[in-house]
Amino acid sequence: MGMRLKWRSIVVYTSVLLFIIFVFGWRQILDERLVDLHTCPACYGQSHCSSMLENEKFSGSIKLTSYSQVKFMNYINIKNVYYAKFGEELVVLKKLAHDSELKEIDEKFCKASKLPQNCNVSQAIKMIMTRAGNDITQVIRHNKELFEESDAVKCKHDRNIFKMYEAFFRTDSGPYHIHHFLTMLAVNMEPLLIMTHYQQWFPRIIGTCGRMIIEEYVGPTLTQLGGSSWIRRVDYARQLLEMARELSEGEFHLYMTDVSLDNFAVDANGKVKMIDAEDLVIVDSTLDNLDTSEHVNDGFGCRDCLSYSFEDLCSHKYSDHNYFAVCKGVTLEVFNVFCARLESLA
């Protein structure tokens, strides 16, 4: 009886899968719908649409690979991350947010422009920009709900925004570049941060099309490399601590607030890079009103998780937070032993 029910379940699941494939097709296509091109200029840009899109106008030199080619996988690909080849180079395509998050951002654009909730978001952002006189600072100050989730504005250090805007303008100087910049800032600052700061620790941003960015594929994550030899893992730990040091120096300090093995990958040369750069607090260390005493993160109130205070990080010129974050957030035993050893020598 049990075996009969098992086979019946398999038949039902297979039938449902075949029905979905029959109705929607099996092959995922990089087209205007997938990249949400209709949202432009409330998008990330269009620098590589001719390379990405596959339609009657473009053949598309970027080809999806692995499970990203299967349309059915969209139902479980909630992170909206796709793997592809650009010529001979492996790349990652990111929409930078879940579909529900993108919908929420669109609703905020509509609300800020005083249009109906399901408005044309491309018209909404144009109205917002026109009312603000195309002034980035005014858009941010008068539409705080649009950017409240972005770590880029948590410290309210205006020079952070201008620095990222200058870097972005070098890659997108078209008539809608400010619209693209503000959309990224509202959805996910990762590309803006990578274009601006400590680029040796992040993947290369290759281009954009609609609400999709093209990013260099680095390699396997530290989670996937958990079975590496002890000496290799020690080297990865060393690089993470070196990253923690460098991100804590210079004019702008970048503090990591989401540290896990899945957020770091290793390239073919053994270089560790951060592949998820959404959650970093940016502090302008040149400001005169910052506390010059070093902020020490002792993990108060959060024994088994990474604790931090935006207020503390934003108000201090110096902080040991990145060292704390790396040693607290990375869980491979050799990493923890190595961090503990370094702390004992400090």
Side-chain angles (χ1 to χ4, degrees), residues 48-261:
H48 278 63
C49 283
S50 59
S51 300
M52 185 179 292
L53 297 181
E54 184 177 342
N55 53 29
E56 66 278 357
K57 187 176 180 181
F58 301 114
S59 59
S61 53
I62 297 178
K63 303 298 183 182
L64 295 173
T65 60
S66 185
Y67 62 82
S68 295
Q69 301 177 82
V70 183
K71 186 178 292 187
F72 175 72
M73 296 303 293
N74 284 347
Y75 294 96
I76 59 176
N77 184 19
I78 60 173
K79 290 187 176 182
N80 282 324
V81 175
Y82 301 84
Y83 296 92
K85 290 190 73 174
F86 189 1
E88 294 302 313
E89 182 179 8
L90 293 174
V91 295
V92 181
L93 311 179
K94 296 182 177 180
K95 297 185 80 170
L96 299 177
H98 302 175
D99 288 339
S100 59
E101 293 170 330
L102 292 171
K103 181 181 179 181
E104 184 178 346
I105 288 292
D106 288 346
E107 291 173 353
K108 288 181 177 180
F109 273 123
C110 292
K111 182 178 179 181
S113 65
K114 297 181 172 56
L115 290 175
Q117 186 176 17
N118 59 344
C119 75
N120 183 327
V121 70
S122 64
Q123 294 301 316
I125 195 170
K126 289 177 183 178
M127 291 179 65
I128 293 170
M129 291 300 304
T130 300
R131 288 172 183 168
N134 289 329
D135 187 320
I136 293 174
T137 304
Q138 292 302 314
V139 172
I140 295 173
R141 286 178 179 171
H142 295 147
N143 301 278
K144 293 181 180 179
E145 69 283 356
L146 267 173
F147 307 99
E148 61 187 356
E149 299 299 325
S150 177
D151 283 356
V153 300
K154 294 291 187 185
C155 290
K156 298 181 175 61
H157 296 173
D158 288 345
R159 204 164 71 95
N160 295 343
I161 305 301
F162 294 129
K163 190 73 173 177
M164 289 195 291
Y165 173 70
E166 289 173 0
F168 182 75
F169 184 71
R170 290 195 289 270
T171 67
D172 184 347
S173 58
Y176 291 115
H177 69 275
I178 299 180
H179 303 67
H180 300 155
F181 173 81
L182 288 171
T183 302
M184 275 191 187
L185 193 66
V187 176
N188 187 330
M189 71 167 182
E190 177 179 307
L192 302 175
L193 184 145
I194 292 174
M195 292 175 190
T196 311
H197 300 290
Y198 305 98
Q199 294 177 354
Q200 71 272 23
W201 293 114
F202 301 103
R204 186 176 85 260
I205 302 296
I206 297 171
T208 59
C209 181
R211 286 188 173 174
M212 190 88 82
I213 69 163
I214 310 166
E215 189 176 277
E216 165 196 17
Y217 172 76
V218 174
T221 66
L222 290 183
T223 298
Q224 296 168 320
L225 294 172
S228 300
S229 67
W230 186 87
I231 195 66
R232 285 189 180 275
R233 285 180 285 159
V234 167
D235 183 59
Y236 300 153
R238 176 194 60 79
Q239 291 188 58
L240 286 172
L241 290 169
E242 186 177 315
M243 182 190 301
R245 177 182 62 80
E246 291 196 20
L247 297 187
S248 305
E249 298 177 343
E251 287 186 51
F252 294 92
H253 298 173
L254 275 55
Y255 295 118
M256 298 177 275
T257 59
D258 181 15
V259 180
S260 71
L261 296 177

